[in-house]
Amino acid sequence: MRDRHIHWSIHLPVAGVQLGNALFLTALPMIVKQRFINGSALNATSPDHDWQTSVSSFYMYYKIFSQLIPIFPGLILAWMGDLGWRKTPIIVPLVGFMLSRLVMLLTLTLEWPLEVVWAEMTILGLSGGFSVFWSSTLTLLSLSSAEQDRSKLMMRLELTSGVAGVVGCVVSGHMFDVTFGRLKPGVLTMAVCLLLYVLCMLHVLLVLQIEQPSSCKSLKDLDSATTCDQRRQMVNILLLWASGILYTSAVSAAKNILVLFLLMEPLHWSVTQVGYGNASGFLVIVTSFLSTTVMSGRFSDLNLITIGMLSYVAGMSCMAFATTSYIFYIARALTLFSLMPTPIIRSLLSQQVHGSSYGIVLTSLQLSVKATTVFSNLLYNQIYQNTLSWFPGLVFIITSVIAVVAIIPIRILVSQLDPDSCSEQGDQKSDDEDLLPLITSCSESLKTIDE
């Protein structure tokens, strides 16, 4: 009962933060677009293609710096968390969320110039941002759970995040244009975001309790491993890390481009349509969770990861040719399984390290993805701008190719399960017992899932 209380105490701030982020996700590009079109940051007489290019550049550089700035502060916060201050990497990002959204609220109400948004982004980045917040909640979840239950609990946390995102995106599409008195579009959205972060902060300070690890690998167990086991374990970690970085960075970069893709020609969606489009993206988290529940009895974890990556490849290949709304939603439907790989990879990685290193490992993975996404965003932004007039979906083809490459380390990892690949002595039973702890505990837990 105590563990269940701790788990739900983690779910509530995650839901609140993701709900606020979903509201902001829809509002930010619309605010930038309106400022450029209305001439606040660009001459209103400029051609239509010019404002599209300007919005694309501004938004993409915003995303790049928001992913680059948190890297060093994030590592410091993760180190502090592993020293025993587990709430610190959660509280500091929440403070950053509150301050940054307050700056955005003042920008709208006081009509500050658009350049103030860079200050909002800097404040959030120096506090660690969502990457540190998310990794820290996963760390708390790992410390308060047994290995056999960890994948199930991580998937449930992904489900909570996804449902909150769906609700936030749907609501934001209608809330953004709500005005009364002298309030301008977006003011109500920013006020609600700020309120949500304040409530999350109060919950973390007053309700959330920290549980010491109940079932972790001991250092003695790690030291007793054979040289062959240690080598295989290191290879497994490297393969999972490489696949996770390649795939997650491709998904993240495509997500950033997709926000602009919806605003520009040929789709040219309104704020309400953008809200529904973003909601469909969060809905993929729900469908991935349900798909994992159904398919875990028939497929191994590594095969589930492969299926999810292939689903993404199919969806983004279709998205590249989306010129109407119904083609967009068909492409979204093809990505129903695309978010299965990430939580499974995180769970498998967490099972390979000692509990005192959960924070730094999970945060390092998340920040590595962010750092990789910074450089991919620079590349994709240039490609998107140069192909905007003749094939704006080319970037989605490129991310599909990267996702195919990310499958290769997973298939190599499958081959590592051969019990004869390390030892020439032929003791297959002993080898199997040493090789499979990476996979079996997560696979068995997924069979008992009730997003």
Side-chain angles (χ1 to χ4, degrees):
M1 290 298 295
R2 179 177 176 83
D3 286 345
R4 181 181 293 272
H5 173 74
I6 293 174
H7 296 159
W8 282 112
S9 295
I10 297 173
H11 280 244
L12 289 176
V14 167
V17 168
Q18 190 62 278
L19 183 60
N21 287 349
L23 294 173
F24 185 76
L25 175 66
T26 303
L28 177 62
M30 298 306 300
I31 293 171
V32 174
K33 177 183 175 181
Q34 288 182 355
R35 287 295 184 95
F36 276 103
I37 292 179
N38 294 336
S40 297
L42 186 69
N43 192 313
T45 62
S46 297
D48 184 69
H49 181 74
D50 285 349
W51 75 257
Q52 293 188 38
T53 302
S54 299
V55 170
S56 172
S57 297
F58 185 93
Y59 186 75
M60 293 307 299
Y61 280 111
Y62 174 91
K63 298 298 293 185
I64 288 170
F65 282 106
S66 66
Q67 292 163 349
L68 186 63
I69 294 176
I71 292 178
F72 185 67
L75 292 175
I76 295 176
L77 289 171
W79 173 71
M80 293 177 65
D82 285 340
L83 288 179
W85 300 330
R86 293 294 180 185
K87 282 190 178 184
T88 301
I90 296 178
I91 293 175
V92 174
L94 283 174
V95 173
F97 278 124
M98 290 188 294
L99 293 177
S100 64
R101 300 310 182 247
L102 178 60
V103 170
M104 198 67 184
L105 180 61
L106 294 175
T107 301
L108 293 176
T109 55
L110 301 179
E111 298 186 358
W112 288 349
L114 188 60
E115 287 74 15
V116 177
V117 175
W118 296 106
E120 176 269 338
M121 175 268 298
T122 303
I123 293 172
L124 183 59
L126 292 176
S127 67
F130 185 75
S131 297
V132 174
F133 175 83
W134 178 247
S135 300
S136 300
T137 56
L138 291 176
T139 299
L140 289 183
L141 201 64
S142 299
L143 289 171
S144 61
S145 63
E147 285 189 0
Q148 63 269 21
D149 299 326
R150 193 166 301 153
S151 295
K152 175 181 65 176
L153 294 173
M154 285 189 177
M155 288 297 296
R156 284 179 176 173
L157 193 62
E158 293 272 2
L159 175 61
T160 300
S161 175
V163 171
V166 170
V167 174
C169 287
V170 171
V171 171
S172 65
H174 299 279
M175 183 185 296
F176 181 82
D177 288 328
V178 174
T179 59
F180 50 89
R182 296 185 178 181
L183 292 183
K184 297 182 178 181
V187 173
L188 179 60
T189 302
M190 291 300 124
V192 173
C193 287
L194 184 59
L195 176 62
L196 287 170
Y197 297 134
V198 171
L199 293 176
C200 290
M201 175 65 78
L202 293 176
H203 177 85
V204 171
L205 292 174
L206 303 178
V207 179
L208 181 61
Q209 299 178 356
I210 305 301
E211 178 75 1
Q212 295 300 320
S214 58
S215 178
C216 300
K217 291 183 178 180
S218 66
L219 293 174
K220 181 179 179 180
D221 293 337
L222 294 176
D223 291 340
S224 64
T226 65
T227 302
C228 178
D229 295 333
Q230 292 175 346
R231 181 176 65 84
R232 287 186 175 183
Q233 186 182 57
M234 181 58 63
V235 170
N236 290 341
I237 291 175
L238 293 176
L239 290 172
L240 287 169
W241 195 281
S243 181
I245 289 178
L246 285 172
Y247 181 71
T248 311
S249 61
V251 172
S252 178
K255 179 181 177 182
N256 293 335
I257 291 291
L258 192 59
V259 174
L260 301 172
F261 187 74
L262 300 179
L263 296 176
M264 311 302 183
E265 298 292 346
L267 293 179
H268 201 64
W269 279 5
S270 66
V271 61
T272 302
Q273 290 175 305
V274 170
Y276 283 114
N278 290 336
S280 69
F282 282 104
L283 189 61
V284 173
I285 300 178
V286 180
T287 58
S288 296
F289 173 83
L290 297 177
S291 301
T292 302
T293 304
V294 173
M295 294 190 294
S296 60
R298 297 185 178 182
F299 300 97
S300 68
D301 294 325
L302 295 180
N303 286 332
L304 288 177
I305 293 174
T306 303
I307 291 172
M309 292 181 177
L310 291 175
S311 172
Y312 175 81
V313 171
M316 287 298 104
S317 298
C318 180
M319 187 71 73
F321 302 95
T323 56
T324 58
S325 297
Y326 78 89
I327 296 180
F328 168 85
Y329 285 110
I330 290 175
R332 272 302 191 196
L334 292 175
T335 63
L336 288 177
F337 312 138
S338 61
L339 294 183
M340 291 194 302
T342 305
I344 297 177
I345 289 175
R346 286 196 189 104
S347 176
L348 297 179
L349 278 173
S350 72
Q351 295 173 32
Q352 297 304 292
V353 297
H354 187 254
S356 61
S357 302
Y358 285 167
I360 195 66
V361 169
L362 294 177
T363 303
S364 296
L365 175 62
Q366 192 76 9
L367 294 176
S368 298
V369 169
K370 293 296 183 182
T372 306
T373 304
V374 166
F375 299 104
S376 61
N377 275 339
L378 286 170
L379 175 62
Y380 293 156
N381 185 46
Q382 292 300 317
I383 294 174
Y384 179 71
Q385 292 184 8
N386 293 331
T387 61
L388 184 61
S389 59
W390 58 277
F391 189 21
L394 179 61
V395 290
F396 300 130
I397 298 293
I398 297 175
T399 59
S400 298
V401 173
I402 294 176
V404 171
V405 175
I407 297 176
I408 297 176
I410 298 300
R411 304 321 298 173
I412 295 177
L413 185 57
V414 172
S415 68
Q416 298 298 317
L417 297 179
D418 181 8
D420 297 325
S421 61
C422 179
S423 174
E424 298 180 357
Q425 297 179 357
D427 189 359
Q428 180 171 341
K429 180 177 179 180
S430 175
D431 282 347
D432 285 341
E433 291 175 353
D434 289 333
L435 286 169
L436 294 180
L438 171 65
I439 307 302
T440 54
S441 61
C442 180
S443 181
E444 292 173 359
S445 66
L446 285 174
K447 296 178 184 178
T448 64
I449 290 181
D450 296 329
E451 212 195 77

